[in-house]
Structure formats: structure tokens, C-alpha cells
Amino acid sequence: MSLDLNKIVHQLDEMVSSLKAGDRQRQERLQKALDTINKETDLDTLKLRIEKSKTSFLIAGPVDGLNTKYDSIPIPQRFTVLATDGSQIDVDRHQAARYYLINIGDVRLEYGDSPQAKLGNHPRLYFEDEDLMMTAPDDSLNTKMVEGTLLGLKRDAEECAHLADIAEECTTDNPTLALLDGSLIKWTLERKDFGDFIIDKLLVNGFLKSLERIRKKQIDKDRELTIASYISSTGSRDVINTLKIIICPYTPVNCDKHCKQKLPGERPCDMVDGILDRDIFIRLLNAGERSAVFRNTSKIVKNYYGKHHIYFFYVKVDDEVARIEIPEWVAENKRLLELTHTLVLDQCRLGHGYPVALSEAHEQAVVTATDKQLLDRLLEESLARDNISTKVSAKSRSKRTRWI
């Protein structure tokens, strides 16, 4: 039965009224955030204040200012853009056999006097016991099933590994941008207790090892090769949280000591609460401009990323602000930083607001619900043909059957 919209129309009206009532307060908080970021601030003093602070939120480390803006540089006559994206079919306990699938799409776009495009996809089915679970090397009882969030992390690692593959295969001397979709920061590993062996396998010897391969290619060949991730409609508040440090009247800043017992709305920094980074940069930046660079200060990055420590900046694309994340070796190389800004912006212009290379990589990678149904049926037919006993759950059979 479909949703009875008549039963929730009045609830929608209540929601709109609530949003309207809160809009005035939000505008006041937004103005406070804009006033604070535009206020003259000594960067060295702010960095020291951040270093000594103890907060309950993640702070963006300023590198070259707070409200600094940069135009893009001219687009190179010839350049290359590489991108990968992935999709997956998760383990389904209702099916005849346990498996998962990861499909990686890749794109190589050459621009200039000899333009060309190369697109491909690389599906792989995982069904062996060592694929379906990860086991700690020193404790065979410590296992994690590869499904859900953990499967997503494995797919991320494979996307980056495949990006490193095509970067190493690329023999052109053109300036080259390698692109990923989503964050370079594997937040889930910080928030969930997966264990050190998961971090070692998927982050240290997986994702970060692939970033190192790209960095090594850039150094060994002394070429303009940069890597970045693109985050559309970002919900980040890192820079807003830096403004909270400026607003806080206490020295040193210590959230637990001074504000733990205060209710929301009573804390001094609440005057900019509820505002996102993109809310201020959509007003600060002109179309095509990027913000200053900021340093991520999360624990997972501090503890594991090393020379690939993550930095980020914001860029205004039409009526949207995107967050661009880059490793430290890109952030500290002026030419690679400028190249990243320019080529990302150009990709967005070609892709009507979103990088065209990532759009094409996604199209190569996407796996639909119909694809999963066909794969399940092929599996069942293959098992039956080989006289292998199978059992599909009643729930799965029920979904396939039209009863009325």
C-alpha cells in the first residue's frame, strides 16, 4: 500500500511554520558568523589558541587566513583528468548463498589538441570465506563480517587503489588531476570500534598505500599530478567551529570546564550554532573562487595519515559551494594546489555543476536493483543446475510474489 499523503498534509504545514519561525534566528546567527570571519584576526594568535583549546567539536586549522579568496589560474592547453567511483551489492542473508559485489567505474579524459576519452568498469564477486570476513592476524576469534559499513570502507579502498592503477598506467606528461567522490577522511574508523587490524588492512595498507603510490608517481616522474576528492552539498562545520574558538570569552577554551552544565542556547558560541561552512562561503566567494586552505584536525587523520594529512578548501560553483579535500603534499605545493582548483572548476563547468569525470565514473559503476535481482536468479539457476541444495528465505520469496 502506498503512503496516504492526506494523513500528513497538516504535519507538513506544521513543519513549514516551524521552519519559518526559526529562519529569523538563523539569519542572525549567519550574520554573526560572517562578521566574525571578516573580523581582522591574527593568525598566529588564533593557531596558538586552537592548539591550547579543549573542545567537544572538530576545529579547522587555518593555514593562510580565514576569509582569504583566490581566483583560478588559466586552464592548461593540454591536461588529463582521471576518476573512479564504485557501487556495491551488499551481503543478503535471505539469498541462497552469501556474497557481495563491488563494481569500480573508471574514466580517463584527455583535453587539448588530441582529445579522447577512455571509460571502463571492473565488477568483482566476493564469495570465499576470506572475502566474507576479516580476521585479526593474532586472534582467530576476532572476526568482522564484511557487510554494511565495513563493505563501504572496502569499496573506498578499492576505488583509490584503482585510481592509483590508472594514474601509474598514464604515460602522458600532461598536468593531471585524479578525482574521487566523497571524503578522503575515513570517519567511520574513528567512530566505530572495528579494531586495529581493520584499520591496518583497509586504511594503512589499503587507502593510504594507494595515495602513496600516486604521490610517488608525482615525485618520481617530476610531473604535475594532483589528487583531490569532491564533496557536493557538504554539511561540514569545521570552519564554523573555528569561529566558535574566536567567539569564546574563556582563555584557554575549555568546553567541559566552562559550558558543560549550560543548556543549548546559553553557551557564548551558540550565537553561530546551526550554521554550516557552506552558508558563509556561498556569501564570501564569487563564482569560481576558492577559499583559504584549512587543515583537518580529526584523530583518525592525526594518528594514521602522516604525509597524507588531509587539508581542504571550498570552491564556489554556480550557486553551490563544494568542499575539496587534498593530501598535505598537494596543499603544500602551490602549483598543484592551483592546478587542483582550476581543473576541478573546469570539470564542474563541463558537468553542469558537478565534475563530469566523476559523473561518467558513476555511470560506469552503478549497480541497480534490477541488476541484483538478475544476479540472484543466475546464482540460483547455476546452483540448481549443479544439483547444489539451496534455500531462499520466505521473506525473499514473498517479495518476488504478487499476492493480490
Side-chain angles (χ1 to χ4, degrees), residues 263-282:
L263 297 173
E266 296 178 348
R267 298 164 298 201
C269 65
D270 284 341
M271 61 180 66
V272 294
D273 204 35
I275 305 301
L276 302 175
D277 289 356
R278 70 177 191 234
D279 295 329
I280 55 174
F281 287 110
I282 195 73

Side-chain angles (χ1 to χ4, degrees), residues 38-68:
N38 284 319
K39 180 181 177 183
E40 186 174 345
T41 303
D42 182 79
L43 207 58
D44 291 333
T45 301
L46 176 57
K47 288 179 180 179
L48 185 61
R49 183 169 170 81
I50 290 172
E51 185 180 332
K52 293 183 177 180
S53 67
K54 295 181 179 180
T55 68
S56 56
F57 43 79
L58 186 68
I59 306 165
V63 174
D64 54 341
L66 293 176
N67 63 348
T68 314

Side-chain angles (χ1 to χ4, degrees), residues 42-150:
D42 182 79
L43 207 58
D44 291 333
T45 301
L46 176 57
K47 288 179 180 179
L48 185 61
R49 183 169 170 81
I50 290 172
E51 185 180 332
K52 293 183 177 180
S53 67
K54 295 181 179 180
T55 68
S56 56
F57 43 79
L58 186 68
I59 306 165
V63 174
D64 54 341
L66 293 176
N67 63 348
T68 314
K69 301 185 292 185
Y70 298 90
D71 285 317
S72 59
I73 61 173
I75 299 173
Q77 290 185 340
R78 295 183 301 275
F79 62 92
T80 302
V81 179
L82 313 173
T84 58
D85 195 20
S87 187
Q88 67 199 46
I89 295 177
D90 209 335
V91 175
D92 187 346
R93 59 189 174 89
H94 297 289
Q95 296 308 317
R98 293 181 67 86
Y99 74 88
Y100 60 86
L101 177 139
I102 295 177
N103 189 29
I104 304 296
D106 66 66
V107 171
R108 174 178 170 179
L109 303 176
E110 301 281 355
Y111 295 88
D113 47 15
S114 300
Q116 58 179 305
K118 182 179 179 181
L119 295 79
N121 60 71
H122 308 269
R124 182 178 172 186
L125 199 65
Y126 294 85
F127 52 87
E128 301 286 0
D129 287 345
E130 57 265 31
D131 296 325
L132 294 171
M133 64 179 64
M134 293 185 184
T135 304
D138 57 348
D139 182 1
S140 61
L141 297 179
N142 187 3
T143 63
K144 299 287 185 184
M145 299 302 299
V146 182
E147 57 187 355
T149 302
L150 192 53

Side-chain angles (χ1 to χ4, degrees), residues 8-20:
I8 63 168
V9 167
H10 70 285
Q11 297 175 44
L12 287 173
D13 291 338
E14 291 175 2
M15 183 176 74
V16 171
S17 296
S18 176
L19 290 172
K20 184 177 180 180

Side-chain angles (χ1 to χ4, degrees), residues 271-322:
M271 61 180 66
V272 294
D273 204 35
I275 305 301
L276 302 175
D277 289 356
R278 70 177 191 234
D279 295 329
I280 55 174
F281 287 110
I282 195 73
R283 289 161 176 79
L284 285 177
L285 302 175
N286 296 314
E289 290 181 334
R290 73 163 175 87
S291 72
V293 173
F294 298 91
R295 192 172 193 264
N296 178 266
T297 58
S298 64
K299 290 181 181 178
I300 192 73
V301 171
K302 283 182 177 179
N303 292 341
Y304 295 100
Y305 276 61
K307 63 176 72 75
H308 303 291
H309 197 111
I310 303 303
Y311 290 66
F312 63 93
F313 61 85
Y314 292 97
V315 62
K316 186 171 183 180
V317 182
D318 297 330
D319 58 350
E320 180 182 83
V321 168

Side-chain angles (χ1 to χ4, degrees), residues 233-260:
S233 191
T234 172
S236 299
R237 295 184 171 90
D238 307 37
V239 177
I240 289 292
N241 289 340
T242 302
L243 302 185
K244 288 185 176 184
I245 297 296
I246 297 173
I247 291 170
C248 181
Y250 303 108
T251 301
V253 177
N254 189 319
C255 295
D256 284 345
K257 180 179 179 180
H258 300 294
C259 296
K260 189 174 184 179

